[in-house]
Amino acid sequence: MAEEAWHASWIGTPEASTPNQWSCYRKVVQLEKAQGQAFARIAVDSKYWLWINGELVVFEGQLKRGPTPDDTYYDRVDLTKHLRKGDNTIALLVWYFGKHGFSHKSSGKAGLVFDADLDGKPLLSDSSWKAVTHPAYENTGEPHPNFRLPESNVRFDAQRDMAGWQNPDFDDSTWPTTTEQGKPPCSPWNQLVERPIPLWKDFGLKDYENAAELPTVSDGKVIKATLPYNAQVTPYLKIEGPAGQLIDLRMDNYSGGKAPNVRAEYVTREGIQEYESLGWMNGHEMHYTIPAGFKILELKYRETGYDTEFTGTFECDDDFLNRYRQKALRTLYITMRDTYYDCPDRERAQWWGDMVNEMGEAFYALDPRSNGLAKKGILELANWQRPNHTLYSPIPDGNWNRELPMQMLNSVGYFGFWTYYQYTGDIETLCAVYPAVKRYLSIWQLGDDGLVVPRKGDWTWGDWGNNKDMTILYNGWYYLALKGQLNMVKALGEDADVADIEAKMSSIENNFNKTFWTGKEYRSPGYKGQTDDRAHALAVLSGLAKPEQYDAIREVFKTQEHSSPYMEKYVGEALYMMRFENDAIARTKKRFKTMTDHHYTTLWEDWRIGGSGGGTINHAWCGGALTLLSQYGAGVAPVTPGYETYHVLPQMGPLKHIRTTVPSVKGDIEAELRNDADTFTINLVSPEQTTAIVGIPKRPDSSIARIEVNGETVWADGKPEDHDVSGICFNEETAHYVTFSVQPGQWGFRASLSRTE
């Protein structure tokens, strides 16, 4: 599709751009009639708020800069229902960060471009617009947010406010006109790329959980206003008191991750006043420090976040797993906004190791609109590839460029790009990024021993914690990257690449066990640490470990617990793949007990708060078992890309009951499973345009005497039966299941079991 031409100009205030600058723009346009259709394309560096006729239309528009190292995103906004016949006042507040961060590359210049079509009538930013730097916004003193954050603290002096500047009746006659900076694409903003994810969901102003207990007159002490959960919020206050007094606004985890995050200050004016600080923060409590004697009329908060719904569900008869999953879900949601974040406080950075886990969780927890954030991250990772073919994260980024090789192998490989395609069927994105994958993997070489030569990159990071058998980890991640690449080339028809990839995989297959397997565990020559559970997980997940080694590997997982919460996902998945589901659940309950039982609503970066990496209290890489419970416990996963074919192959282990909804791109898959002493039942609602492979699991202590589907026998005495149920056919009997293929619709499976000696 051809790029839309831009007719508007980038505009700015007469003042020079400075960090943490807030500017106001106004334009009045006269319309002869109500609009049938009106859309605007809007871009700024860095964030904006839009009012039309005094009504707030967009709360925090614009994505942080970085679709590529040079370019800028823009928003497409529907203005239709906000415009009216006659005069219409367009007003925007623009926040220019003016500095780089781990999720933003500053252009170096504040600006706005507004290009709208109002039923064929253009409304374009140009030198006729009015603009001023807002005099009330200022910088706080130290401490400032740590260098990873492009945002600054927000200080607002209400004595210098321009009350009502957004409204139609405001007199802007003394405001200067804007200066034109050129039409897109022009430096320093360059090409404009349409925002690939929705505008934020605005939950509106709400009372705090402890609103009834909050004081009505301040005594000068910190007022702790409680949120229902760890959330991304902007604080609001309505107070009465004298002018010139300072109010401090910060979250309870302002120093979470051992570094200053963002905070805000408000300087009062005389009398009754209200204020909402627009720079979002996160935590479980908002702390207001209000001088003594002020009347407190209202304290509220506004939650905003990624516009998606928690349509994916999983409930079982184990209360611990239900509580863990709820915390994993809350942690996932708070680490989504402009990008997938490692954490929403210290960094707000798209570390790709974190993102691989988060993306996998979203496929089971959130509606498919969340897929846009994964797609955005995948395209960005490829677009930021350096001339020497290396990849690095976090990106977008203005002050970081260090490659973590193992995270990059995970990202472009089986659990990263390939998993995205498997769950979405988005072949266009796969096609767009495959050249970058091929270039990156081309810089890795095999040594004389037939194994991969470790690349240190810029940060040789294998995981938090100790006892990392790095040589095995390199080979495991590299093999999984090749496995993902091989799947990609087959999906894309890149047949010329197949032989080379298969040759590299064969070389590792022929030498991995020969080099690393001792007869009872994996250990690389020269490694002196304790046996690495992570290395064994990758050996299983890659398929390099063989079934005859599984019992020994199981013993390793029973005795070794070195992985961080990030890598624990892969240990759990390895246990499921070896069909030790009881062990997988038991290990999850043991390792995550402390944080699941803790009063925080989110999961942590490390096993203890303040631990490795700073130990933030909200790292969604901890949520891997959320994925595993649905993917393996309930057994729901795509077989072919985009869920055209999927399976329900449960591994319930000790669980007796599971009810789950999986929000696939084909529609919701609903399944309820019961694992009783003498029966096993699956009730399935399968969406249109799918084929489901449904498996009745075999038990070591029982045999399957009979299987009924929708009340009719389809299997008995060890073989399929003739039946009149349409839309179902026997598929196969495997070592672990009796499987059937079913078409869309509602299906009730009931297996009668006979005890064996």
Side-chain angles (χ1 to χ4, degrees):
M1 186 171 66
E3 290 284 331
E4 293 180 74
W6 288 80
H7 305 288
S9 295
W10 279 95
I11 55 175
T13 61
E15 297 90 347
S17 298
T18 58
N20 199 25
Q21 185 177 68
W22 296 72
S23 303
C24 306
Y25 294 80
R26 283 174 57 92
K27 175 68 177 179
V28 178
V29 59
Q30 188 176 60
L31 299 175
E32 297 177 356
K33 59 182 179 64
Q35 299 301 289
Q37 191 175 57
F39 286 90
R41 291 179 290 160
I42 306 170
V44 302
D45 185 348
S46 310
K47 296 285 183 178
Y48 72 88
W49 287 255
L50 168 67
W51 290 263
I52 297 181
N53 300 322
E55 175 192 3
L56 182 63
V57 174
V58 175
F59 187 95
E60 195 200 293
Q62 183 68 33
L63 294 173
K64 294 177 177 178
R65 278 193 83 241
T68 75
D70 300 314
D71 300 325
T72 305
Y73 287 109
Y74 73 88
D75 294 347
R76 186 181 297 273
V77 181
D78 187 351
L79 310 180
T80 309
K81 66 179 181 179
H82 305 287
L83 298 171
R84 64 195 182 197
K85 181 180 179 180
D87 286 347
N88 290 267
T89 301
I90 313 298
L92 294 99
L93 176 65
V94 175
W95 183 15
Y96 172 61
F97 294 161
K99 57 190 179 82
H100 300 313
F102 274 21
S103 56
H104 176 73
K105 184 176 182 181
S106 178
S107 70
K109 192 171 188 177
L112 160 71
V113 62
F114 189 102
D115 195 316
D117 185 310
L118 314 181
D119 265 347
K121 179 177 181 177
L123 172 58
L124 309 176
S125 52
D126 58 23
S127 59
S128 68
W129 286 51
K130 297 289 191 76
V132 295
T133 300
H134 199 305
Y137 284 98
E138 302 172 338
N139 291 305
T140 69
E142 294 183 344
H144 299 294
N146 74 85
F147 74 99
R148 303 170 185 86
L149 295 171
E151 296 93 338
S152 295
N153 297 329
V154 178
R155 177 186 170 97
F156 188 89
D157 187 343
Q159 299 170 109
R160 306 179 66 192
D161 192 13
M162 302 182 297
W165 70 268
Q166 310 96 324
N167 297 330
D169 58 357
F170 181 81
D171 182 6
D172 63 9
S173 59
T174 61
W175 285 22
T177 55
T178 59
T179 58
E180 294 188 15
Q181 310 291 333
K183 293 182 178 180
C186 64
S187 179
W189 307 282
N190 304 314
Q191 296 289 339
L192 296 180
V193 176
E194 184 169 357
R195 177 191 187 116
I197 61 175
L199 293 165
W200 310 139
K201 184 174 184 178
D202 183 348
F203 294 83
L205 285 174
K206 294 184 178 181
D207 290 325
Y208 290 100
E209 295 293 284
N210 61 339
E213 304 164 13
L214 298 177
T216 56
V217 178
S218 176
D219 62 3
K221 297 179 181 178
V222 176
I223 299 170
K224 298 180 179 181
T226 305
L227 297 166
Y229 41 73
N230 196 336
Q232 298 173 2
V233 300
T234 48
Y236 165 89
L237 56 82
K238 186 175 183 181
I239 56 174
E240 182 178 5
Q245 301 297 300
L246 179 67
I247 295 174
D248 184 89
L249 306 166
R250 66 181 70 191
M251 302 301 296
D252 55 335
N253 66 335
Y254 165 69
S255 298
K258 299 181 179 178
N261 302 321
V262 294
R263 59 186 176 89
E265 295 177 352
Y266 175 72
V267 180
T268 62
R269 59 178 175 80
E270 183 75 25
I272 296 176
Q273 55 208 285
E274 56 184 322
Y275 172 70
E276 181 176 0
S277 183
L278 297 180
W280 69 270
M281 318 175 201
N282 81 282
H284 289 92
E285 294 176 348
M286 176 59 66
H287 291 179
Y288 295 83
T289 304
I290 302 175
F294 270 79
K295 293 181 180 180
I296 300 174
L297 306 178
E298 287 183 290
L299 297 178
K300 295 179 181 286
Y301 71 94
R302 182 192 307 271
E303 179 184 0
T304 55
Y306 195 96
D307 192 4
T308 187
E309 299 295 331
F310 302 152
T311 53
T313 65
F314 180 95
E315 299 175 78
C316 67
D317 55 301
D318 188 309
D319 176 66
F320 179 93
L321 295 178
N322 292 333
R323 288 188 290 116
Y324 164 85
R325 188 186 186 279
Q326 184 57 39
K327 289 196 173 191
L329 180 62
R330 179 52 53 194
T331 315
L332 173 64
Y333 187 66
I334 204 174
T335 52
M336 301 171 65
R337 201 173 177 98
D338 295 69
T339 65
Y340 274 111
Y341 296 149
D342 64 330
C343 57
D345 37 31
R346 183 188 66 213
E347 299 184 25
R348 304 181 179 182
Q350 188 170 233
W351 292 97
W352 252 90
D354 301 67
M355 182 176 162
V356 170
N357 285 16
E358 291 167 341
M359 177 177 65
E361 295 163 40
F363 291 136
Y364 287 102
L366 305 173
D367 75 72
R369 284 178 298 173
S370 69
N371 296 345
L373 195 58
K375 177 176 181 175
K376 174 179 179 288
I378 289 169
L379 292 172
E380 286 170 348
L381 186 61
N383 289 339
W384 280 70
Q385 188 170 40
R386 294 184 284 205
N388 66 1
H389 300 339
T390 56
L391 297 168
Y392 68 97
S393 69
I395 39 86
D397 187 81
N399 53 7
W400 178 272
N401 62 358
R402 296 166 67 187
E403 178 200 4
L404 282 67
M406 292 189 197
Q407 281 202 12
M408 292 301 95
L409 290 172
N410 189 14
S411 303
V412 304
Y414 185 78
F415 290 107
F417 288 10
W418 176 253
T419 291
Y420 169 81
Y421 174 58
Q422 189 77 346
Y423 279 80
T424 65
D426 179 4
I427 193 72
E428 291 183 1
T429 297
L430 196 70
C431 184
V433 300
Y434 176 69
V437 174
K438 182 177 178 179
R439 287 193 297 267
Y440 180 65
L441 292 180
S442 73
I443 66 179
W444 292 80
Q445 302 296 321
L446 298 181
D448 294 338
D449 59 1
L451 299 169
V452 71
V453 178
R455 290 184 56 256
K456 291 185 177 182
D458 302 303
W459 182 4
T460 312
W461 190 89
D463 189 21
W464 291 138
N466 300 313
N467 299 299
K468 297 182 286 285
D469 195 336
M470 297 291 281
T471 304
I472 298 178
L473 293 177
Y474 269 113
N475 278 277
W477 282 129
Y478 179 64
Y479 187 88
L480 284 163
L482 291 174
K483 182 177 179 180
Q485 185 188 15
L486 183 62
N487 288 344
M488 289 181 216
V489 299
K490 290 180 178 179
L492 295 170
E494 299 282 349
D495 297 338
D497 293 345
V498 170
D500 180 61
I501 299 168
E502 289 182 337
K504 292 174 181 175
M505 294 177 73
S506 294
S507 179
I508 296 174
E509 291 163 10
N510 293 334
N511 292 284
F512 188 84
N513 287 314
K514 182 171 62 177
T515 303
F516 301 128
W517 183 248
T518 69
K520 64 176 183 177
E521 64 182 18
Y522 282 105
R523 179 174 288 269
S524 62
Y527 173 66
K528 302 300 183 184
Q530 296 179 37
T531 302
D532 185 2
D533 48 349
R534 313 169 191 83
H536 288 74
L538 295 188
V540 173
L541 297 177
S542 62
L544 293 167
K546 304 307 177 186
E548 56 267 25
Q549 298 166 271
Y550 286 177
D551 287 337
I553 294 172
R554 181 186 191 186
E555 292 304 312
V556 169
F557 289 148
K558 285 181 177 180
T559 58
Q560 305 298 323
E561 296 177 350
H562 307 300
S563 65
S564 75
Y566 160 59
M567 284 299 295
E568 192 63 26
K569 185 262 184 183
Y570 302 98
V571 174
E573 187 157 1
L575 284 165
Y576 273 111
M577 286 186 65
M578 294 187 296
R579 306 202 67 82
F580 300 135
E581 50 263 38
N582 288 46
D583 292 20
I585 290 174
R587 179 160 168 141
T588 295
K589 294 175 69 171
K590 179 183 179 183
R591 300 224 73 194
F592 287 94
K593 177 175 173 53
T594 299
M595 65 178 85
T596 300
D597 290 345
H598 197 276
H599 67 272
Y600 284 151
T601 62
T602 46
L603 302 173
W604 314 338
E605 179 177 8
D606 196 13
W607 299 112
R608 62 184 179 87
I609 297 170
S612 296
T616 71
I617 64 166
N618 31 228
H619 252 65
W621 71 3
C622 288
L626 180 157
T627 305
L628 302 181
L629 287 168
S630 292
Q631 182 182 1
Y632 291 95
V636 181
V639 175
T640 57
Y643 275 94
E644 289 188 5
T645 303
Y646 70 95
H647 65 59
V648 184
L649 300 177
Q651 292 180 247
M652 293 179 68
L655 302 179
K656 303 302 181 186
H657 178 232
I658 291 175
R659 180 185 292 114
T660 188
T661 300
V662 175
S664 84
V665 292
K666 291 290 195 297
D668 287 350
I669 298 166
E670 298 179 18
E672 184 170 9
L673 302 88
R674 290 192 178 276
N675 186 18
D676 297 322
D678 300 320
T679 58
F680 190 96
T681 62
I682 300 176
N683 291 310
L684 174 69
V685 179
S686 190
E688 293 297 319
Q689 300 180 337
T690 63
T691 298
I693 308 299
V694 181
I696 302 298
K698 296 179 177 180
R699 292 183 187 166
D701 62 346
S702 306
S703 62
I704 301 173
R706 184 174 65 258
I707 300 173
E708 299 171 30
V709 176
N710 293 353
E712 186 168 338
T713 300
V714 298
W715 171 278
D717 299 324
K719 62 182 186 301
E721 292 275 301
D722 293 335
H723 59 83
D724 295 325
V725 184
S726 61
I728 179 174
C729 65
F730 170 71
N731 189 56
E732 64 175 338
E733 180 178 3
T734 70
H736 302 291
Y737 299 96
V738 176
T739 66
F740 299 83
S741 296
V742 300
Q743 296 305 302
Q746 297 187 25
W747 300 97
F749 287 78
R750 185 179 187 276
S752 300
L753 308 176
S754 298
R755 290 283 180 175
T756 58
E757 293 297 330

